[in-house]
Amino acid sequence: ETLSNEEPLRVGICHALQNLLQSALNKKDTSDEDATTLGAFAKNFLPILFNVHAIAPPDIRSVVIETISAFILVTPRSLVDNFFRTIVQKLLETTTSATVTKQSPADTTHALADLAMAVVAGLGEENLALL
């Protein structure tokens, strides 16, 4: 809730999440327990981060995208694939409706394209072929 509602705290929260995720990924243990545990929270955090990205001012969006990219590295592939398909579907709907109505969906299209690129690192081969 704080991430969504407290704009002045967003950058700090995003940096803290990035540090936590990088720490889990950089551990030299044979166990990936920390990364797996954090990955279990991805289904909750990623939709919030997607929404924050949509409402954030342009100067904050890059920090949100970096946080999404970090979360993707610990997110189960099936969840990443589902998010990617949803993003691509919304991107297609946005561009199709813009063509019909002759309106420019540039901001929405760019935001969705940013999200699609942020999840690429976690995609399975089937979804990589869509690119």
Side-chain angles (χ1 to χ4, degrees), residues 46-109:
L46 286 171
I48 293 168
L49 288 165
F50 293 159
N51 289 333
V52 168
H53 178 266
I55 62 171
D59 59 325
I60 304 223
R61 285 186 183 160
S62 63
V63 175
V64 177
I65 286 292
E66 290 167 6
T67 307
I68 292 169
S69 295
F71 242 116
I72 290 300
L73 298 176
V74 299
T75 303
R77 178 159 289 152
S78 61
L79 186 58
V80 175
D81 287 344
N82 287 338
F83 282 132
F84 181 73
R85 282 191 293 272
T86 300
I87 292 166
V88 169
Q89 181 180 4
K90 288 182 180 185
L91 187 57
L92 291 171
E93 288 170 1
T94 300
T95 55
T96 302
S97 68
T99 303
V100 170
T101 62
K102 308 242 189 277
Q103 293 178 340
S104 174
D107 289 341
T108 304
T109 302

Side-chain angles (χ1 to χ4, degrees), residues 26-47:
N26 290 336
K27 280 195 167 180
K28 301 296 181 198
D29 296 344
T30 55
S31 166
D32 290 332
E33 188 175 325
D34 290 346
T36 302
T37 300
L38 290 170
F41 289 101
K43 67 181 180 207
N44 300 330
F45 271 101
L46 286 171

